[in-house]
Each structure stands twice: as C-alpha cells, then as structure tokens.
C-alpha cells in the first residue's frame, strides 16, 4: 500500500536531509512537507525535491489547527515525522515564549490531527538535551533512555514537555507514538547560527570565531545522514510508546572542533575568541545508543574525520546557500548575540 509521510520542519537542517534520504531510500513513500518558513527554514534547501512527483510542499504553521486539519484531510498521511521546532538554545534564552508555543502546542496540534484522521504513526524528533548534562570528570556516565529528564534551557524544557505529551497521548488515547533523542548533528544545510556552520562561515569571512567560556564543554557529534537513517529505522522497526537514544560515541570539546575546522580551512587559530559563557551552559552530552543498536540494528556509518571534511567541503561549494542566509535577519541576530565582540 502507498505510504504518505508528513514531514514537518523539512525546510530546516535535519528535516531537509531526512526528506532527501526518504525520497532516495524508499520508492513506496510519498512525502508532504509542512513548514512555516521561519528564519530557520529555507526553501532553497528543498530545491532538489521540488520537481519530484512524490514530493509536495505546504507552507503552514503546525500550531494552526485549521491549516493542519486541511493538510491531513487532503494528503491522508500514514505517518507524521515532527521535526518542526524552534531549535536554538541561545534564542530560547533570549525569548522563550515561541519555544513553548511551537515545540509544545505545535506537537499537540499534530497529535490531535493524527487521532482525528487515524494516522498510523506519530514520530517525535527529540534531543538528548532533555536529559540535562553530565559532569566533565565522569567519562563513565552516559544518557540512557531511563535517565531522568532534567532539561536546563527553555529550548530543552520545551522539547522535554513535548516528549511527555507524546507519551501521554500514547497512554491516554493509544496513539502510536515513537520518540528519538539524538545528540548534536552536523552536515549540509545547517543554519549558520550553530557552532559548526557558524565557525566555517566566520572563518571563510575572516571573522572572529566565538567560543563560549573556555571551550571545554563537550558535545557528542553525529553526521546528519546517520540521524536520518536512525529515524527511518525507528519508524520501520521501533515499538509503539518507546524512546530511542541516537548517538555515535563521538564526544568532542568545542575548542577542539573549532581548531579542527581552522585546520581544514587553513585558517589561523588566532581567529578564535573566547567570549562570555552561555547562561546555564550544559557541560557535557553523551549518548548511550545501545538500545537503538540492539532493537533496530542501527549504527552510525560516518566517522567524524570524514563527516567534518565533507561538511566543510559542502559549505565551500554551497556559498550562495549560506551567504544568502547571513545577509538577512541573521545580521541583526548576530549583532545582538555577539555585539562587537566577534
Ligand atoms: P532547524 O531550526 O534547522 O529547522 C526547524 C524547521 O522548523 C525550520 O524549517 C522552520 O521553518 C520550521 N518551523 C519552525 N517553527 C515552525 C512552525 N510553527 N510550523 C512549521 N514549521 C516550523 O532545526 P534542526 O536543527 O533541523 O532540528 C530539527 C529537529 O531536530 C528539532 O525538533 C530539534 O529539536 C531536533 N534535534 C536537533 C538536533 C541538532 O543538532 N540540530 C539534535 C537533536 C534533535
Ligand atoms: P550549538 O551548536 O548551539 O548546539 P547546542 O547548544 O544545542 O549543543 O552549540 C554547540 C556548543 O558550542 C555549545 O556548547 C555552545 C558552543 N558554542 C560556542 O562556543 N560558540 C558559539 O558561537 C555557538 C553558537 C555555540
């Protein structure tokens, strides 16, 4: 039977990569993308899918019940994969309201539509940030699916709320939900406000490279295509009501990432500038992906050394994509966020 997957937030970083992954990996799946095209959504990211007869794009807000009911009535999705979110921690610290509205209410609206229209599966794309952080001096500790939720930022708190709501819809209404909680992603089409693309774009422009605090915070980086394969596996083989942690045991300090990018681009390390730390800055994220491996047979394929090289190459060969972004609203964001410091 023909399947139709409704992918929300597909004009963003991971959703866009996921749409390309699905269109090439599954002949029997049609994709409908719903995206409201916030500052983080770029239609140019989906240019390669627009002429595909199996793909449709609808500009709409996931919080808009009438618009969502219209999309469900027209396209009758068999599964919903919810990427749409406000996703940047720094923005959530400055303006939390939109994070609660989009990330929590938006998720609720989509799940109500799933119940009303009998959608077989709702998959919530979540984050390891819902677990809070781990100490730097305990490399033996990892986030498992049983780690208590303890979010630190308005962003991660809104994602944790959405996860709990999804699990409540499972228990109360029997909705077939799954949740994946992934570590930090990197790869093509990532908006240049996040560490890796910001560092690449700034280095190429000869601008300072802002590193928060001492640069000792640790993130667990996963190449975006590996995340897309993991979500695909959860939708195919994941059990209703279950949470799956996704990560590749690739922990790195921020300062080492920034230096690595300088080296790949042949730029001097003295571009690096240590700036004021993020409020409530999580120290370390580290995922234990044992369950995903055991139950889904999923493992990451891309080593960091290869993924970061191809990511840098992608930004070098897609200058027009990110230059257009940093010439718009981003300029004002950058000025407010980093002031004259970088
Ligand atoms: P992104 O900010 O690049 O993209 C978000 C997309 O959602 C944009 O296209 C935006 O226009 C759209 N959107 C925002 N509000 C919307 C609304 N109200 N209605 C419709 N569309 C809306 O984000 P990303 O980095 O691709 O992250 C996607 C998802 O994955 C998020 O849910 C995020 O929490 C999760 N996640 C991200 C990472 C990461 O490292 N980036 C890691 C783990 C989980
Ligand atoms: P980010 O890419 O915003 O992802 P997240 O906050 O979801 O982990 O940041 C990754 C790490 O890099 C985080 O510890 C904050 C740090 N960081 C900087 O040091 N400088 C920057 O300019 C940015 C955007 C992030």
């Amino acid at each position: 039977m023909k399947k139709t997957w409704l992918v929300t937030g597909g004009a963003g970083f991971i959703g866009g990569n996921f749409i390309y992954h699905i269109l090439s990996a599954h002949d029997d799946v049609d994709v409908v993308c719903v995206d409201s095209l916030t500052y983080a959504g770029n239609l140019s990211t989906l240019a390669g899918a627009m002429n595909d007869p199996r793909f449709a794009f609808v500009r709409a807000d996931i919080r808009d019940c009438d618009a969502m009911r219209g999309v469900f009535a027209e396209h009758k999705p068999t599964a919903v994969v919810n990427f749409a979110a406000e996703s940047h921690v720094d923005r959530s610290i400055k303006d939390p309201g939109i994070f609660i509205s989009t990330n929590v209410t938006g998720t609720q609206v989509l799940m109500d539509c799933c119940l009303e229209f009998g959608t077989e599966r709702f998959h919530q794309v979540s984050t390891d940030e819902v677990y809070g952080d781990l100490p730097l001096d305990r490399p033996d500790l990892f986030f498992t699916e049983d780690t208590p939720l303890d979010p630190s930022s308005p962003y991660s708190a809104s994602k944790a709320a959405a996860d709990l709501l999804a699990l409540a819809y499972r228990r109360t209404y029997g909705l077939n939900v799954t949740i994946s909680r992934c570590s930090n992603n990197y790869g093509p089409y990532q908006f240049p406000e996040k560490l890796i693309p910001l560092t690449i774009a700034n280095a190429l422009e000869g601008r300072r490279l802002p590193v928060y605090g001492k640069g000792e915070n640790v993130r667990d980086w996963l190449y975006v295509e590996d995340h897309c394969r993991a979500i695909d596996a959860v939708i195919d083989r994941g059990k209703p009501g279950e949470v799956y942690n996704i990560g590749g045991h690739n922990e790195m300090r921020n300062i080492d990432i920034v230096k690595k990018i300088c080296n790949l681009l042949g730029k001097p390390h003295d571009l690096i500038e240590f700036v004021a730390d993020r409020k409530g800055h999580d120290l370390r994220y580290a995922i234990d992906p044992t369950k995903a491996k055991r139950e889904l047979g999923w493992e990451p394929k891309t080593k960091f050394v290869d993924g970061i090289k191809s990511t840098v190459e992608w930004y070098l060969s897609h200058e027009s994509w990110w230059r257009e972004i940093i010439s718009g609203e981003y300029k004002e964001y950058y000025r407010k966020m980093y002031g004259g410091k970088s």
Side-chain angles (χ1 to χ4, degrees), residues 165-187:
L165 197 59
L167 294 173
Y169 269 58
R170 165 77 192 151
R171 170 142 181 185
T172 305
Y173 306 112
L175 184 64
N176 183 357
V177 303
T178 44
I179 297 173
S180 52
R181 296 184 179 141
C182 191
S183 58
N184 285 60
N185 284 212
Y186 68 99

Side-chain angles (χ1 to χ4, degrees), residues 88-90 129 184 193-195 198 210-212 217 219 221 254 278 281 285 338:
H88 191 37
V89 172
D90 293 324
E129 301 192 29
N184 285 60
E193 67 186 352
K194 305 279 171 66
L195 179 68
L198 182 143
V211 171
Y212 300 164
N217 302 62
R219 297 292 182 263
W221 295 94
N254 295 337
R278 173 185 280 173
H281 198 173
Y285 301 146
Y338 298 98

